[in-house]
Amino acid sequence: MTHPRVTYDRAADAAYVYLTAPGTLTRAARTVACDPVGIDGTVNLDFDEEGRLVGVEVLGAAATLPARLLESAERLDPRGA
């Protein structure tokens, strides 16, 4: 099993987990915002035109996701930011 692509912007404290095959360009047709009870942060679920889940955005990622996942994520900000 391959690991999903994960991007992280430390300045925004936002991570995105891509649930599509690597190299696949899939646009979200609909986003559903979730506000999990008892969790610091917000989760947005992105669905394609056929209703398939294609990605998950996590706001407040540092408090919600494992540090090792964020450390290994593709950075969208300069490492020093």
Side-chain angles (χ1 to χ4, degrees):
M1 179 178 147
T2 61
H3 295 284
R5 177 180 173 218
V6 178
T7 58
Y8 180 56
D9 183 330
R10 182 175 163 189
D13 195 20
Y16 195 86
V17 181
Y18 295 81
L19 302 177
T20 55
T24 303
L25 179 61
T26 304
R27 295 187 184 272
R30 181 172 63 110
T31 298
V32 176
C34 302
D35 189 9
V37 175
I39 307 246
D40 292 332
T42 299
V43 176
N44 295 314
L45 306 175
D46 286 342
F47 295 88
D48 68 10
E49 291 181 358
E50 296 179 19
R52 292 179 296 225
L53 183 62
V54 296
V56 179
E57 179 185 39
V58 180
L59 306 176
T64 308
L65 296 174
R68 64 178 159 59
L69 179 67
L70 298 180
E71 290 166 6
S72 65
E74 178 183 332
R75 294 293 291 267
L76 299 178
D77 59 274
R79 287 262 177 204

